[in-house]
Amino acid sequence: MKNRLIAFDLDGTLLDGKKNIPPENMAALKAAAEQGMHIVPATGRIYAGLPQPLKDLPFLRWCITVNGAYVYDALEDKAVYREDIPMELALRVIDYMEGNHLFYDCYKDNWGYIDRRFYEHAVDFMPDKGILDLLVRLRTPVESLRDYIQASGTGAQKLQMYFTDMEERARQLRLLPERFPELAVTSSVKNNIELNWAAANKGTALEALCRHLGVAMEETIAFGDGTNDLTMLRAAGLGVAMGNAAPEVKAAADRVTDDNEHAGVAKVIKEIL
């Protein structure tokens, strides 16, 4: 069956360790687009956080963002699909994080918000300079994130936790699904945990986009490396894990390609063209 849509994660997948798009990956995306394929970033980031060279591509229209909480039509500037965490649940999660003394922030209405006390000490929790730069650039500090969400009267797209203690992170990865079964608990970088409404995942978002476009799931290819990519790799016609992917992602994939430092995405795309 002909491939009609390519979906790909960014951090750890399309991007190298310096958060750049390897030239081989960019060339492969352009070649696929020339053959009529839909090119779809599928990321935990908001649209504003996409690398500018990617947003500048004339054929880039559809974007799965915030781990699937928001599928965006960049041409018409509108949502194709969205699923937010309800406000009351978001507030309960924040209360839980406060009780466990965690560094946290959120995405809400396609922008990032964070307590000022965390924003001013972000460097202490974020050793990856590329992710730190994104956090600083794409967050507005507020005096109290809890108060800000409550005053807005609406929920959040994603809540995120960051850790310096990896044992505590592992503990929370075990506890959070039991404490908040309404949420999807995933991770995209080695020291974070991401919380979305259960219906907001990359797999469900990919299915929603394919329905919108009239593309069969069997005609899709998806690339990823983190646990927030699992649902997408399982849903796609061909799910491809990066060589640097988490073990459970490799186990769920149909095949494994090279790592993100060696343009693993391009290697598979070249094979199918």
Side-chain angles (χ1 to χ4, degrees), residues 178-232:
E178 298 177 3
R179 183 66 179 264
F180 300 104
E182 314 97 319
L183 299 178
V185 180
T186 62
S187 177
S188 63
V189 295
K190 63 183 180 180
N191 73 320
N192 88 337
I193 293 178
E194 304 184 0
L195 304 173
N196 288 87
W197 185 238
N201 63 71
K202 293 185 182 182
T204 301
L206 179 60
E207 291 171 350
L209 177 58
C210 284
R211 284 194 301 273
H212 182 77
L213 296 175
V215 173
M217 293 303 294
E218 293 80 7
E219 299 172 315
T220 66
I221 303 173
F223 296 85
D225 71 295
T227 58
N228 63 336
D229 300 314
L230 276 170
T231 56
M232 179 173 69

Side-chain angles (χ1 to χ4, degrees), residues 76-246:
E76 297 191 8
D77 187 25
K78 67 179 184 181
V80 172
Y81 175 85
R82 70 176 298 166
E83 288 284 354
D84 291 3
I85 301 171
M87 184 187 73
E88 291 300 328
L89 179 55
L91 297 179
R92 283 201 287 119
V93 175
I94 289 175
D95 289 341
Y96 174 83
M97 292 189 289
E98 276 293 314
N100 285 275
H101 308 290
L102 299 171
F103 178 100
Y104 59 84
D105 64 12
C106 84
Y107 284 146
K108 177 177 173 60
D109 300 323
N110 299 313
W111 192 251
Y113 297 92
I114 185 172
D115 275 26
R116 189 176 304 279
R117 59 191 166 127
F118 295 144
Y119 186 82
E120 292 174 351
H121 296 90
V123 67
D124 298 331
F125 290 83
M126 192 54 64
D128 185 314
K129 186 179 184 300
I131 300 295
L132 175 63
D133 289 345
L134 277 175
L135 188 150
V136 171
R137 180 167 62 88
L138 300 175
R139 304 293 188 279
T140 295
V142 295
E143 292 309 314
S144 166
L145 183 58
R146 190 189 197 286
D147 291 348
Y148 180 82
I149 291 175
Q150 189 168 36
S152 75
T154 59
Q157 292 168 308
K158 181 171 74 168
L159 293 161
Q160 302 179 106
M161 307 175 183
Y162 306 91
F163 298 82
T164 56
D165 182 342
M166 293 301 101
E167 290 185 3
E168 175 60 15
R169 175 178 176 271
R171 188 177 80 91
Q172 292 296 338
L173 281 170
R174 294 192 302 270
L175 293 176
L176 285 164
E178 298 177 3
R179 183 66 179 264
F180 300 104
E182 314 97 319
L183 299 178
V185 180
T186 62
S187 177
S188 63
V189 295
K190 63 183 180 180
N191 73 320
N192 88 337
I193 293 178
E194 304 184 0
L195 304 173
N196 288 87
W197 185 238
N201 63 71
K202 293 185 182 182
T204 301
L206 179 60
E207 291 171 350
L209 177 58
C210 284
R211 284 194 301 273
H212 182 77
L213 296 175
V215 173
M217 293 303 294
E218 293 80 7
E219 299 172 315
T220 66
I221 303 173
F223 296 85
D225 71 295
T227 58
N228 63 336
D229 300 314
L230 276 170
T231 56
M232 179 173 69
L233 267 59
R234 289 170 176 153
L238 177 66
V240 183
M242 304 301 294
N244 53 287

Side-chain angles (χ1 to χ4, degrees), residues 61-62 70-81 212:
R61 176 174 181 178
W62 314 102
Y70 196 85
V71 181
Y72 181 56
D73 178 347
L75 180 62
E76 297 191 8
D77 187 25
K78 67 179 184 181
V80 172
Y81 175 85
H212 182 77

Side-chain angles (χ1 to χ4, degrees), residues 6-23:
I6 299 174
F8 48 88
D9 176 51
L10 296 182
D11 300 292
T13 299
L14 185 77
L15 308 183
D16 62 21
K18 295 182 179 179
K19 307 303 178 186
N20 296 318
I21 305 174

